[in-house]
Amino acid sequence: MLVLGIESSCDETAIAVVERGEKNAVLSESIKSQTPLHSPYGGIVPEIAARTHYEVIDLLTRQALQQAGIEIKEIDLLAFTQGPGLIGSLLIGLAFAKGLAWARKLPLVAVDHIAAHIEAPFITHARIAYPLLALVVSGGHTSLFFQETKFAGRLVAKTRDDAAGEVMDKIAKHFDLGYPGGPLLDDLYAQGDPSRFAFTEPRMSDGGNDFSFSGYKSAVLRQARSLNIRPGSRDFYDLLASFLSSLVDYMLKKTLTAMKNFPARSLIVSGGVSRNSLLRSRFERECAAAGISLYLPEPAYCTDNAAMIAWTGYEKYQAFPNLNYFDLCLNSYSRARFRENGRHR
Ligand code: KG4
Ligand code: ZN
């Protein structure tokens, strides 16, 4: 079965063609990153994001089909990101997907963006054992889920303030390093001494299990101010490396504790921040030492992409055969959506 995936939740427009069934492969992926457009503002401008999706979505679809060497009439299934995300950006993907589904008389699967991030490691690892714990760390979300089976997830912890990637982006913005901050801090890490500065681990005043990251940003800014640390100095690189190291250790510690408290056979870490080199190497080392089966997406499938949307769309189509995928009102989807506790953050 050939599946066309459409992702437009944030500042990446992406279209992918995947083959599922007997053969399982990503045939093509066409991505337009809007980073240069948002960089001058140090963050995403929703109106620019939506307009850019609108301008490129058709062209990217043609490119993805061409790269895969197939024609639109050969596509069997459409999958698009229903949410969460920026509303203007999501609406462009929704309108495009509905139009294509209507014109080609194709079944249309609405995909939850977070469920797709969790599915991303399955693109390269077909057999990840359930039940599993999944840590989704991105620019919009930092959440831990326990999943008995695919699409049967329970939110067990979430951030109460910023997401992990958001904190990196805000710190980079404060020091005028550029946008997004995550990849920049990843590159700068090797230039600093991660043991130079200490950070207090966030704790919930109510004893809860959730994450909190905004204190990291305040601590970095406070240290820089009180010690008069300037960007480009040795102290500055030490401060950034110490921050990144503490942040990764904090997420690692909480995840390993959760692995002890839940009967999970596998651990997934996914989302844009799972592309971070330090995070990957520390999680790999500690999980190997603890005998935990860890699965990370390939770097290209960590950040937003359409292959994970197409992959998840196919899985959902198989898992819920009784839904009406030709209903363009999408009413029947809501029952099957992977959503717990109202919000994913
Ligand atoms: O999953 P994603 O593409 O979009 C959301 O769903 O939010 O994640 C984007 C986030 C940004 O905050 C970005 O700074 C972060 O992922 N990110 C990284 C790296 N690459 C992207 N953070 C740390 N290290 C990286 N290499
Ligand atoms: Zn994402």
Side-chain angles (χ1 to χ4, degrees), residues 7 9-10 12 84 113-114 117 136-141 271-272 302-305 308:
E7 157 63 30
S9 66
C10 196
E12 258 105 20
H113 186 80
I114 308 299
H117 272 306
V136 183
V137 257
S138 70
H141 323 274
C302 291
T303 39
D304 291 348
N305 65 89
M308 70 180 190

Short mmCIF file of all heavy atoms in Angstrom, two decimals, residues 7 9-10 12 84 113-114 117 136-141 271-272 302-305 308, ligand 2:
data_model
loop_
_atom_site.label_atom_id
_atom_site.label_comp_id
_atom_site.label_asym_id
_atom_site.label_seq_id
_atom_site.Cartn_x
_atom_site.Cartn_y
_atom_site.Cartn_z
N GLU A 7 2.62 16.78 6.61
CA GLU A 7 2.90 17.36 7.93
C GLU A 7 3.00 18.88 7.79
O GLU A 7 3.78 19.38 6.98
CB GLU A 7 4.20 16.77 8.49
CG GLU A 7 4.93 17.60 9.53
CD GLU A 7 4.18 17.86 10.84
OE1 GLU A 7 3.35 17.00 11.24
OE2 GLU A 7 4.40 18.91 11.44
N SER A 9 2.35 21.02 10.99
CA SER A 9 1.87 21.49 12.30
C SER A 9 2.60 22.72 12.81
O SER A 9 2.07 23.46 13.63
CB SER A 9 1.97 20.37 13.33
OG SER A 9 3.32 20.05 13.56
N CYS A 10 3.84 22.92 12.35
CA CYS A 10 4.62 24.00 12.93
C CYS A 10 5.34 24.79 11.84
O CYS A 10 4.70 25.45 11.03
CB CYS A 10 5.58 23.39 13.95
SG CYS A 10 6.27 24.58 15.07
N GLU A 12 7.71 23.38 9.60
CA GLU A 12 8.23 22.54 8.52
C GLU A 12 7.05 22.07 7.68
O GLU A 12 6.11 21.52 8.23
CB GLU A 12 8.92 21.29 9.08
CG GLU A 12 10.42 21.36 9.06
CD GLU A 12 10.97 21.59 10.45
OE1 GLU A 12 10.22 21.32 11.42
OE2 GLU A 12 12.11 22.05 10.57
N PRO A 84 -1.57 18.14 17.76
CA PRO A 84 -1.58 19.55 18.08
C PRO A 84 -0.58 20.33 17.25
O PRO A 84 0.33 19.74 16.66
CB PRO A 84 -1.20 19.57 19.57
CG PRO A 84 -0.40 18.33 19.77
CD PRO A 84 -0.91 17.32 18.80
N HIS A 113 -0.03 14.32 16.07
CA HIS A 113 1.40 14.60 15.90
C HIS A 113 2.26 13.90 16.96
O HIS A 113 3.35 13.40 16.65
CB HIS A 113 1.59 16.13 15.98
CG HIS A 113 2.97 16.60 15.68
ND1 HIS A 113 3.45 16.73 14.40
CD2 HIS A 113 3.99 16.95 16.49
CE1 HIS A 113 4.70 17.16 14.44
NE2 HIS A 113 5.06 17.30 15.70
N ILE A 114 1.77 13.83 18.18
CA ILE A 114 2.56 13.20 19.26
C ILE A 114 2.62 11.69 19.04
O ILE A 114 3.67 11.06 19.23
CB ILE A 114 1.94 13.50 20.64
CG1 ILE A 114 1.72 14.99 20.83
CG2 ILE A 114 2.81 12.94 21.76
CD1 ILE A 114 2.96 15.82 20.78
N HIS A 117 5.26 11.08 16.56
CA HIS A 117 6.63 11.12 17.11
C HIS A 117 6.95 9.78 17.79
O HIS A 117 8.06 9.27 17.69
CB HIS A 117 6.78 12.27 18.11
CG HIS A 117 7.18 13.57 17.49
ND1 HIS A 117 8.29 13.71 16.68
CD2 HIS A 117 6.63 14.82 17.56
CE1 HIS A 117 8.41 14.98 16.28
NE2 HIS A 117 7.40 15.66 16.79
N VAL A 136 8.56 11.94 24.82
CA VAL A 136 8.51 12.80 23.63
C VAL A 136 9.04 14.18 24.03
O VAL A 136 8.45 14.87 24.86
CB VAL A 136 7.07 12.93 23.08
CG1 VAL A 136 7.06 13.78 21.81
CG2 VAL A 136 6.48 11.56 22.80
N VAL A 137 10.21 14.52 23.45
CA VAL A 137 10.86 15.79 23.81
C VAL A 137 11.03 16.63 22.55
O VAL A 137 11.80 16.29 21.67
CB VAL A 137 12.27 15.60 24.43
CG1 VAL A 137 12.25 15.77 25.91
CG2 VAL A 137 12.92 14.31 24.02
N SER A 138 10.30 17.75 22.52
CA SER A 138 10.41 18.59 21.32
C SER A 138 10.34 20.05 21.71
O SER A 138 10.55 20.40 22.88
CB SER A 138 9.30 18.21 20.34
OG SER A 138 8.06 18.64 20.85
N GLY A 139 10.04 20.90 20.72
CA GLY A 139 9.95 22.33 21.02
C GLY A 139 8.60 22.69 21.64
O GLY A 139 8.47 23.71 22.30
N GLY A 140 7.61 21.84 21.45
CA GLY A 140 6.28 22.13 21.98
C GLY A 140 5.85 21.20 23.10
O GLY A 140 4.86 21.47 23.79
N HIS A 141 6.57 20.09 23.27
CA HIS A 141 6.11 19.07 24.21
C HIS A 141 7.26 18.40 24.95
O HIS A 141 8.33 18.19 24.36
CB HIS A 141 5.37 17.94 23.48
CG HIS A 141 4.54 18.43 22.35
ND1 HIS A 141 3.26 18.89 22.52
CD2 HIS A 141 4.84 18.59 21.04
CE1 HIS A 141 2.80 19.31 21.36
NE2 HIS A 141 3.73 19.14 20.44
N GLY A 271 11.08 12.90 19.17
CA GLY A 271 10.84 14.35 19.09
C GLY A 271 12.15 15.07 18.77
O GLY A 271 13.23 14.48 18.88
N GLY A 272 12.04 16.34 18.40
CA GLY A 272 13.19 17.10 17.92
C GLY A 272 14.42 17.04 18.82
O GLY A 272 15.55 16.91 18.34
N CYS A 302 13.56 12.44 13.88
CA CYS A 302 13.39 13.02 15.23
C CYS A 302 12.59 14.31 15.13
O CYS A 302 11.59 14.50 15.79
CB CYS A 302 14.75 13.33 15.86
SG CYS A 302 15.71 11.88 16.31
N THR A 303 13.09 15.22 14.28
CA THR A 303 12.39 16.49 14.09
C THR A 303 11.17 16.25 13.18
O THR A 303 11.03 15.16 12.60
CB THR A 303 13.35 17.52 13.46
OG1 THR A 303 14.15 16.87 12.50
CG2 THR A 303 14.25 18.14 14.49
N ASP A 304 10.33 17.27 13.06
CA ASP A 304 9.07 17.09 12.33
C ASP A 304 9.31 16.62 10.89
O ASP A 304 10.15 17.17 10.18
CB ASP A 304 8.27 18.40 12.33
CG ASP A 304 7.75 18.71 13.72
OD1 ASP A 304 7.81 17.82 14.58
OD2 ASP A 304 7.27 19.84 13.93
N ASN A 305 8.57 15.61 10.50
CA ASN A 305 8.72 15.02 9.16
C ASN A 305 7.40 14.36 8.77
O ASN A 305 6.55 14.12 9.64
CB ASN A 305 9.87 14.01 9.16
CG ASN A 305 9.59 12.82 10.04
OD1 ASN A 305 9.02 11.82 9.61
ND2 ASN A 305 9.93 12.91 11.33
N MET A 308 6.86 9.99 9.35
CA MET A 308 6.24 9.48 10.59
C MET A 308 4.72 9.64 10.55
O MET A 308 4.00 8.84 11.14
CB MET A 308 6.85 10.16 11.83
CG MET A 308 6.49 11.62 11.99
SD MET A 308 7.26 12.32 13.50
CE MET A 308 6.42 13.92 13.58
ZN ZN B 2 7.01 17.63 16.46
#
